[in-house]
Amino acid sequence: MEDLTETTAPSLARTYRDFLYREGYRPEIDADGDVTFKAEGLFCFIDVTPSDPTYLRVVVPNIWSLDDEQERLRAFRVANEVQRELKGLKITFAPHDDTWIATEVFLEDEDAFENTLMRCVRVLLIGVHRFRDLMRAASLS
C-alpha cells in the first residue's frame, strides 16, 4: 500500500494518521487519501472526506463472504440483530458478496474526532466479533 507523502496527503488524513499513531497504531495514508490501520488484526480504514471534515466514517471491509442465497438471508437476519444490539453500526452487503461494517457519525467540529474515533473502533471490533459469532452459530443450526 502506497503511503502518500506529507505534501500530497490531505491535511485531515494526516491529522487522523497522527492521532492513531499516538494511540499505538501503525496507520498509513493510501493512494485514495484514506487512513488505513489494523486493529486486533482487522484491516480498518477511515474514509477521509476533506470537503466534510465533521463527517467521520470508519470501516472494516470484507468481514464475511456470502457464498449462496441461504447464507445471504442468514447474514441479513444477523446484521439486523447486531445493529439492534450495538449503537452506531451499519452493516452492508457489497455487490461482490462481501459484508462490510462501519460507523458513521457527524461531529460537532473537526477537532471533536479525538473524543469519538476510538469509541468507533471499539464498537466496530465488537460488531465484527458479534456478527461472526452469530453467523457461525446460525450455520450450525
Side-chain angles (χ1 to χ4, degrees):
M1 203 172 301
E2 176 187 345
D3 195 13
L4 296 180
T5 66
E6 285 298 315
T7 56
T8 58
S11 172
L12 186 59
R14 290 192 315 264
T15 300
Y16 291 152
R17 182 202 54 204
D18 294 348
F19 173 78
L20 286 169
Y21 183 78
R22 289 191 306 273
E23 292 294 312
Y25 294 92
R26 296 178 59 187
E28 295 180 358
I29 300 172
D30 69 13
D32 295 330
D34 296 327
V35 177
T36 64
F37 61 101
K38 283 196 174 182
E40 293 184 16
L42 295 171
F43 175 81
C44 307
F45 70 90
I46 301 172
D47 185 7
V48 179
T49 310
S51 63
D52 191 1
T54 60
Y55 171 69
L56 177 63
R57 180 173 183 244
V58 187
V59 181
V60 181
N62 308 319
I63 66 167
W64 193 272
S65 178
L66 303 173
D67 299 326
D68 57 39
E69 192 59 29
Q70 185 178 24
E71 187 169 34
R72 181 178 286 283
L73 291 173
R74 272 196 310 270
F76 279 120
R77 286 192 297 274
V78 167
N80 190 43
E81 183 173 339
V82 172
Q83 290 171 125
R84 277 194 324 258
E85 290 176 7
L86 298 168
K87 297 176 187 173
L89 282 183
K90 179 187 273 187
I91 299 173
T92 57
F93 304 98
H96 301 292
D97 294 323
D98 290 321
T99 307
W100 290 32
I101 189 167
T103 58
E104 296 178 305
V105 296
F106 295 102
L107 305 168
E108 184 176 327
D109 60 57
E110 62 187 89
D111 295 325
F113 81 91
E114 290 189 6
N115 299 323
T116 307
L117 179 55
M118 296 319 300
R119 185 173 183 187
C120 289
V121 170
R122 282 190 301 275
V123 76
L124 280 172
L125 296 176
I126 293 167
V128 168
H129 294 299
R130 182 72 175 139
F131 181 86
R132 287 176 172 172
D133 288 348
L134 290 173
M135 284 297 290
R136 287 183 192 107
S139 67
L140 295 175
S141 53

